[in-house]
Amino acid sequence: MSEELDYLSRRVASGRLSRREFLGRATALGVSATFANSLLASVVHAQGPVRGGIIKGGVRGGEATDSLDPATIATGVPLIFSKCWGETLTEQTLDGGIENRIAESVVSSNDAKTWTMKIRKGIEFHNGKTVTAEDVVATLQRHSDPKSKSGALGLLKSIDTIKANGDEVVVTLSEANADFPYLMTDFHLIIQPNGGKDNPAGGIGSGPYKVSVFEPGVRCGGERFDNFWQSDKMGFADQVELLAINDNTARISALMAGQVHMIDKVDPKVVDQIKRVPNLKVEVVSGPGCYTFGMFCDTPPFNNNDLRMAFKLAIDRQEMVDKVLRGYGTVGNDFPINASYRLFPEGIEQRTFDPDKAAFHYKKSGHSGAILLQVAEAGFSGAVDAAQLYQQSCAKAGITLDVKRVPDDGFWSEVWNKQPFTNGFWSGRPTQDQMYSTVYLSTAPWNDTRFFNEKFDKLLLEARGELDQDKRKNLYREMAIILRDEGGVIVPMFNNFIDAISDKVGGYVGGRNALMNRYAFAKCWLTA
């Protein structure tokens, strides 16, 4: 069996077999996905890497308002680019584990309230300054400041004190958090000189590439940083360039024309078309990403739970998976957690399309008249088609849903989290606590459904410090049911991440999110 696995791994490394096909055959041989991914990564690196050239990508999610300030990163292009120029204390591995990055070690007290991180020596910022414990302290202070606009603020609410002690950083929490190392993987928490307090959008980090160009909504690029501390693992190309290509057709055309080497968020409709192109591969990854429709729970008419329930029952989830995702995903259940998460609460009744019950709750709400849903393809690929299907299924329940398509440019800054009923997309987080704290905790800055529930908040804090995994799982189950039945989020489907890459790219090994957990441009190389 080992010889066959080695043979299959080499075929992936040479571009003659996709990662998805490899995992399928490995599973048939009785091998776990974790072991198969580990083997694949080792074989790929054994056959490479190759240095030189310019790796180019076409990425969805670029806007004129984008910034290099890690605190405000919210769209695809600056997020993926941040993995090229920035480093966090820890990072999530391709199989969902934890890898120490700037933190050489992360150690907890017995009660999980005090965490000591030893800062790795010899790491240099792009401006020539050495990364110190003081820089780490300043970074965490900036993002945890109550006045901060950071997307990580909700994750850091429990921090009591942050202190530097030589080459160590000691963080004390007001309540226990067994997932603290995972919190430090958050993409907003890039370690910057003096925490970014002096120049937050300067793009100065310690990653494998130095920022050389940043044109918001157009392109960004970097040159290899010669003093990167782990040059044998990342930063193989001379340069990286990411083009903001929000249009699906234009992104695919750029790949087929050889203008870029990798693209993300491939529309399921064209997967078969790309597969027929000899020099291209399609890579499909199942993970925590979900497509959503969000209602503001504090804004009429959505402040009525019967109305919210009507819209949850009036959506045909399986139809959307079949017609929008073309089978590249699974149905959702109105909470943003699926089986890709540890401690996933199994056995919660699956909500299905029920126009009669939807009509009952709609009538009970007392509302009459049309409801406006604002959508953009920037929110998720196929959003307009999904909204039209939603409109049709609502009609079967006697609900009039008006759909307004809004421009992609400016969607994330002007529509999402600003308008009371819109579409959205979450790529997921390493842990349930992180996902819930980012979006559904009452004080979360990205609470895009205005969900304020004291019991939910209390359970979240209790689960965060619970070290007994069975008890913790039960708490997550109770939270999921509350959000499912009382929240403003509708989760019709979990999407697979679909990337397409040229056979000139080496080092691609998948992950649990798009583009190798967004590290593809930092870790891959050009074979020719």
Side-chain angles (χ1 to χ4, degrees):
M1 181 176 71
S2 61
E3 291 182 359
E4 185 169 356
L5 282 174
D6 287 341
Y7 168 73
L8 294 174
S9 299
R10 289 193 296 272
R11 285 182 63 82
V12 176
S14 64
R16 293 192 293 270
L17 188 72
S18 74
R19 174 185 169 277
R20 183 181 178 86
E21 292 170 324
F22 168 79
L23 291 177
R25 296 191 189 186
T27 300
L29 291 171
V31 176
S32 70
T34 299
F35 178 80
N37 273 317
S38 176
L39 174 63
L40 181 57
S42 63
V43 171
V44 166
H45 274 274
Q47 297 203 352
V50 177
R51 296 189 180 275
I54 304 175
I55 289 187
K56 298 182 179 182
V59 179
R60 182 169 188 164
E63 297 189 356
T65 55
D66 287 341
S67 169
L68 288 179
D69 180 0
T72 62
I73 289 176
T75 55
V77 174
L79 170 53
I80 293 170
F81 187 46
S82 74
K83 300 298 184 180
C84 295
W85 65 265
E87 286 265 88
T88 48
L89 289 162
T90 59
E91 190 51 69
Q92 189 176 25
T93 60
L94 297 178
D95 61 2
I98 284 289
E99 176 186 0
N100 291 329
R101 300 299 299 163
I102 288 179
E104 186 174 25
S105 63
V106 182
V107 179
S108 169
S109 60
N110 290 335
D111 62 0
K113 286 187 176 182
T114 302
W115 292 84
T116 303
M117 297 176 285
K118 183 177 181 180
I119 305 307
R120 197 181 300 272
K121 295 180 179 179
I123 299 181
E124 186 178 311
F125 286 120
H126 300 152
N127 62 2
K129 181 184 181 296
T130 299
V131 177
T132 66
E134 286 75 17
D135 295 310
V136 173
V137 169
T139 297
L140 296 180
Q141 285 176 338
R142 181 168 85 92
H143 291 275
S144 61
D145 187 325
K147 298 179 182 179
S148 170
K149 301 294 185 182
S150 175
L153 179 60
L155 304 176
L156 307 179
K157 288 283 189 180
S158 64
I159 288 181
D160 189 10
T161 63
I162 313 166
K163 296 180 180 179
N165 181 18
D167 61 355
E168 294 183 338
V169 173
V170 181
V171 178
T172 57
L173 308 176
S174 57
E175 64 263 337
N177 192 334
D179 284 339
F180 182 81
Y182 282 95
L183 298 189
M184 296 299 100
T185 71
D186 187 83
F187 59 81
H188 301 97
L189 301 179
I190 290 174
I191 305 304
Q192 296 176 278
N194 194 30
K197 293 179 180 180
D198 304 319
N199 186 13
I204 303 298
S206 57
Y209 293 96
K210 295 188 297 182
V211 176
S212 59
V213 60
F214 182 67
E215 299 175 18
V218 181
R219 68 185 181 116
C220 49
E223 299 175 350
R224 185 168 59 223
F225 178 43
D226 292 334
N227 292 339
F228 178 57
W229 69 279
Q230 206 177 35
S231 59
D232 60 328
K233 301 293 185 183
M234 286 189 268
F236 302 115
D238 292 331
Q239 299 177 48
V240 293
E241 183 179 27
L242 275 65
L243 303 178
I245 309 178
N246 293 329
D247 182 78
N248 290 335
T249 302
R251 204 161 57 254
I252 293 166
S253 296
L255 179 68
M256 290 184 170
Q259 297 170 347
V260 298
H261 301 105
M262 292 184 275
I263 63 173
D264 68 342
K265 298 183 180 178
V266 174
D267 191 327
K269 295 178 182 177
V270 299
V271 167
D272 290 339
Q273 176 187 350
I274 296 175
K275 285 181 176 180
R276 291 194 291 267
V277 180
N279 64 324
L280 301 179
K281 292 188 297 182
V282 173
E283 296 287 354
V284 181
V285 173
S286 60
C290 61
Y291 294 171
T292 66
F293 294 107
M295 304 171 282
F296 282 2
C297 296
D298 65 347
T299 303
F302 306 108
N303 57 345
N304 184 300
N305 195 41
D306 279 299
L307 184 79
R308 298 198 298 270
M309 184 60 69
F311 275 98
K312 294 173 183 178
L313 292 165
I315 194 165
D316 192 331
R317 302 157 198 272
Q318 189 60 55
E319 182 181 40
M320 287 194 181
V321 170
D322 295 341
K323 294 182 178 180
V324 176
L325 295 182
R326 302 294 177 101
Y328 288 99
T330 57
V331 296
N333 202 17
D334 298 336
F335 61 98
I337 306 298
N338 64 3
S340 70
Y341 285 90
R342 294 179 299 125
L343 307 180
F344 170 69
E346 304 99 338
I348 296 176
E349 182 182 358
Q350 175 62 53
R351 181 165 287 145
T352 59
F353 176 49
D354 193 327
D356 293 334
K357 285 186 178 179
F360 168 79
H361 284 283
Y362 185 70
K363 182 178 180 180
K364 188 178 177 183
S365 75
H367 180 79
S368 61
I371 296 286
L372 177 64
L373 170 64
Q374 300 187 54
V375 300
E377 289 290 310
F380 61 79
S381 181
V384 175
D385 289 343
Q388 290 172 346
L389 290 173
Y390 196 8
Q391 185 179 52
Q392 294 165 14
S393 63
C394 280
K396 295 177 182 179
I399 301 172
T400 301
L401 179 66
D402 288 344
V403 175
K404 178 183 178 181
R405 182 172 185 174
V406 296
D408 286 347
D409 190 40
F411 170 78
W412 291 108
S413 58
E414 302 299 330
V415 180
W416 173 78
N417 210 11
K418 299 286 180 64
Q419 299 300 322
F421 196 16
T422 68
N423 68 309
F425 164 70
W426 290 99
S427 59
R429 292 295 186 272
T431 67
Q432 293 191 56
D433 176 78
Q434 205 166 340
M435 187 66 211
Y436 285 135
S437 298
T438 300
V439 192
Y440 302 103
L441 183 68
S442 294
T443 55
W446 282 359
N447 187 342
D448 64 353
T449 56
R450 307 298 189 268
F451 177 65
F452 308 116
N453 188 294
E454 290 184 8
K455 184 177 181 180
F456 181 91
D457 293 349
K458 181 180 179 181
L459 290 169
L460 177 59
L461 296 179
E462 185 179 349
R464 183 178 293 168
E466 180 56 68
L467 302 180
D468 184 301
Q469 297 303 292
D470 289 335
K471 292 181 180 179
R472 199 177 195 200
K473 185 175 182 177
N474 287 333
L475 292 169
Y476 283 141
R477 176 186 176 84
E478 191 172 351
M479 289 164 55
I481 292 172
I482 290 173
L483 185 59
R484 172 185 182 271
D485 293 344
E486 301 177 34
V489 65
I490 300 168
V491 184
M493 47 192 162
F494 286 87
N495 63 292
N496 289 347
F497 297 101
I498 308 177
D499 303 330
I501 65 174
S502 164
D503 62 1
K504 295 180 180 179
V505 174
Y508 188 103
V509 293
R512 74 189 292 266
N513 213 306
L515 293 170
M516 292 175 57
N517 289 4
R518 308 178 183 107
Y519 271 100
F521 297 97
K523 292 186 175 182
C524 289
W525 58 84
L526 295 178
T527 58

